[in-house]
Amino acid sequence: MRNSFLILSLLGLMIFSACGGSSSSGGGGELTGVSGVSWREPSPYGMIGIPQGFIYMGPNETDSLWGIPTPHKPISVDAFWMDETEITNSKYKQFVYWVRDSIIRERLADPAYGGNDLFKITEDRYGDPVEPYLDWSRAIPFRRPDEDEERAIQSVYMTHPVTKNVILDAAQMNYRYEWYDHAQAAMRRNRLDPSERILNTDIPVNPNEVIMISKDTAYINDEGDIIRETIIRPLGSLFDFLNSYIVNIYPDTTVWVNDFNNAYNEPYMRMYFSHPGYNDYPVVGITWEQATAFCNWRTVYYEKGMGKGGRRIEPYRLPTEAEWEYAARAGKSENQYPWDGNGTMAERGCFYANFKPDRGDYVKDGHLITARVASFAPNDFGLYDMAGNVSEWTSTAYTESGVLSMDDINPENSYNAALEDPYRMKRKVIRGGSWKDVGSMIRSDMRFSDYQNQAHSYVGFRCVRTRLGYSGKK
């Protein structure tokens, strides 16, 4: 019996080696490596491939403009994909409508709204039970709903108590997502096995050492309010690095009034995000938290769109401050702006960007507020509006030392502020300047900050994604 088992094991090993592409045998005894399945990452729609490169980050001048600290340092960044334009109202609406439709589908499956179980998948193709999830292949009956379906659809809308207009209930547009903190989980001090935390064998291992970690969690209480908490607890498993968030993702349309208290910007408040005439304009009124949630949704949406047989991708995310500046200057340390030269206007009198060219004269460049994305020429990397139009969120936490406190390879200062942290620790770097800024403020080497829960009529964002296995020129 033992000999039979050995023969079957050897036979199985031979079959596996013959059929698999990752066999360690073969090569005539030479070290040939393990081959993998060939795969070339497709170009993401609407994104530009940015090559790896070097730049002298920050201004070349030793002093700072406007009293703003401007640290500088030579750095190198890896290749990545970047949106060729800022995220538009149209693209952000796709996110809002996805959240809206997910709520409707949940309610269509809810017994309180008729309980149509066809909108949820509860078993796999073999009939085995699975954790229920929404069936997005089943269309919502918007045109001819029955009474229960109509109640489910209308439940995400509200009637304004004064104007009586029927509008989307922005308070319900909440997106829940989870984020696994790979960086913290990789830290040696956070290893689950105490013997792996210290490599110095002269130091005795304390098997009872307690490592305290913090994780973010969120839930909605009985009153419908989003409750966010930062929990401090002893490290017990890898699940302690899994953070959960619930973010209301509807843009703050009131920023047009709150940013300009003594101006008649009410039409923008009512129409800028909702009217199709502004579809191709950059979305504004977005906090850093909402932009981060958008990046998570975009990753999930893409991977689900590839189907169950699709590959996992590097996640969409906000660019680091270093990536943003490198991309804006097209990899050229001598560039103060996304274009060559230190001026903001060509010899023929054409402006290079949408900003405030003169004191109070917003329209001198042809635009009063934001402009349609790609209204001006791209930089040498093919990126539009890296100066002016709207300032852009980065993933980088703001400190006055900036890049000086970061490594010179893929520099980043990432900090997820806890709820109880002082408010000053919740600042993130924004770059690029906007339609309301003068020419010196839209330089690629200038840095500013804002609080991660603040939204403005002049701040938007774009996404990036790391390019896998890429080296060389564009």
Side-chain angles (χ1 to χ4, degrees):
M1 185 69 180
R2 183 177 179 182
N3 289 338
S4 299
F5 178 78
L6 180 61
I7 292 172
L8 288 172
S9 299
L10 290 172
L11 180 61
L13 180 62
M14 291 171 64
I15 294 174
F16 176 80
S17 300
C19 298
S22 58
S23 171
S24 60
S25 63
E30 294 291 347
L31 183 65
T32 59
V34 176
S35 62
V37 177
S38 177
W39 181 68
R40 182 175 178 84
E41 185 178 21
S43 299
Y45 178 79
M47 288 189 133
I48 297 293
I50 308 300
Q52 62 185 17
F54 163 88
I55 194 174
Y56 201 93
M57 184 174 171
N60 293 324
E61 297 89 348
T62 56
D63 60 331
S64 61
L65 295 172
W66 306 91
I68 300 171
T70 50
H72 50 278
K73 180 179 181 178
I75 60 98
S76 297
V77 295
D78 205 353
F80 56 96
W81 302 99
M82 190 175 212
D83 283 325
E84 63 179 346
T85 70
E86 294 142 343
I87 295 299
T88 61
N89 284 321
S90 175
K91 291 181 177 179
Y92 197 85
K93 282 178 188 176
Q94 187 176 354
F95 180 30
V96 172
Y97 291 165
W98 185 93
V99 172
R100 179 201 65 181
D101 291 352
S102 68
I103 296 172
I104 293 175
R105 283 186 167 86
E106 285 283 357
R107 290 176 182 167
L108 287 170
D110 189 335
Y113 294 92
N116 188 343
D117 55 8
L118 294 178
F119 282 93
K120 271 199 173 179
I121 296 175
T122 58
E123 57 185 34
D124 61 20
R125 59 180 178 175
Y126 304 109
D128 297 324
V130 296
E131 184 177 352
Y133 60 95
L134 295 177
D135 184 0
W136 282 85
S137 66
R138 185 167 297 278
I140 297 174
F142 284 114
R143 291 193 173 184
R144 296 182 179 178
D146 60 29
E147 185 177 343
D148 288 327
E149 293 168 342
E150 178 69 14
R151 287 194 304 114
I153 294 171
Q154 293 303 319
S155 68
V156 298
Y157 292 90
M158 62 173 288
T159 301
H160 193 281
V162 178
T163 66
K164 305 305 179 183
N165 292 330
V166 177
I167 56 177
L168 190 66
D169 187 357
Q172 294 190 54
M173 299 300 106
N174 299 321
Y175 176 70
R176 185 187 188 281
Y177 71 100
E178 293 182 332
W179 171 70
Y180 183 74
D181 193 341
H182 289 276
Q184 285 298 315
M187 292 292 182
R188 189 168 296 281
R189 64 173 181 268
N190 291 335
R191 299 293 171 86
L192 297 177
D193 185 352
S195 65
E196 297 179 355
R197 295 171 188 162
I198 300 176
L199 298 181
N200 188 341
T201 54
D202 292 334
I203 300 176
V205 174
N206 179 6
N208 299 317
E209 181 184 12
V210 177
I211 301 297
M212 303 299 293
I213 59 95
S214 67
K215 65 175 294 181
D216 295 329
T217 185
Y219 62 93
I220 297 179
N221 63 14
D222 294 337
E223 288 72 36
D225 300 321
I226 299 175
I227 306 299
R228 297 174 57 183
E229 297 179 343
T230 299
I231 301 173
I232 308 295
R233 68 182 189 186
L235 175 62
S237 73
L238 292 178
F239 283 96
D240 289 325
F241 301 106
L242 185 65
N243 301 271
S244 60
Y245 301 93
I246 300 176
V247 180
N248 184 275
I249 52 90
Y250 201 85
D252 182 0
T253 58
T254 68
V255 292
W256 292 101
V257 171
N258 287 296
D259 285 342
F260 305 92
N261 295 325
N262 299 309
Y264 182 64
N265 288 340
E266 182 184 324
Y268 305 140
M269 179 180 69
R270 290 185 286 103
M271 307 297 285
Y272 184 82
F273 182 67
S274 61
H275 196 281
Y278 288 107
N279 270 355
D280 295 329
Y281 286 66
V283 67
V284 298
I286 301 298
T287 67
W288 180 89
E289 294 166 352
Q290 291 172 321
T292 302
F294 177 93
C295 293
N296 177 273
W297 166 79
R298 188 174 179 180
T299 304
V300 173
Y301 186 74
Y302 183 84
E303 290 181 342
K304 286 186 177 180
M306 295 178 70
K308 291 190 175 181
R311 293 178 178 271
R312 294 186 65 85
I313 60 168
E314 278 295 295
Y316 291 95
R317 54 183 174 82
L318 294 177
T320 66
E321 180 183 11
E323 288 173 331
W324 194 98
E325 181 173 330
Y326 169 75
R329 299 169 78 170
K332 300 176 183 179
S333 298
E334 65 273 16
N335 279 10
Q336 288 186 346
Y337 293 95
W339 49 85
D340 296 337
N342 297 329
T344 57
M345 186 169 53
E347 293 181 358
R348 293 174 296 174
C350 298
F351 286 96
Y352 291 132
N354 176 23
F355 64 107
K356 185 166 70 171
D358 206 350
R359 186 174 302 175
D361 193 351
Y362 291 88
V363 299
K364 194 173 183 178
D365 59 10
H367 305 278
L368 178 63
I369 54 168
T370 55
R372 283 186 174 86
V373 296
S375 292
F376 296 85
N379 72 356
D380 287 347
F381 277 165
L383 301 169
Y384 294 91
D385 302 317
M386 294 298 284
N389 216 16
V390 292
S391 299
E392 299 178 15
W393 288 111
T394 73
S395 62
T396 304
Y398 179 83
T399 61
E400 291 189 355
S401 59
V403 72
L404 299 180
S405 62
M406 308 178 205
D407 289 324
D408 58 2
I409 176 174
N410 294 324
E412 171 66 324
N413 179 19
S414 177
Y415 181 72
N416 295 310
L419 204 61
E420 64 272 13
D421 281 339
Y423 197 45
R424 66 179 182 274
M425 298 179 66
K426 300 175 182 179
R427 290 184 295 174
K428 306 298 182 184
V429 175
I430 57 175
R431 287 301 201 108
S434 74
W435 58 270
K436 73 169 189 62
D437 295 316
V438 296
S440 59
M441 307 294 274
I442 66 170
R443 280 172 39 175
S444 304
D445 54 8
M446 293 295 289
R447 63 197 303 264
F448 308 94
S449 71
D450 212 331
Y451 297 95
Q452 64 186 47
N453 66 340
Q454 291 280 356
H456 291 287
S457 59
Y458 48 84
V459 179
F461 71 102
R462 71 180 79 206
C463 305
V464 299
R465 208 175 90 191
T466 300
R467 296 181 75 176
L468 298 175
Y470 178 86
S471 62
K473 300 297 182 181
K474 183 178 177 182

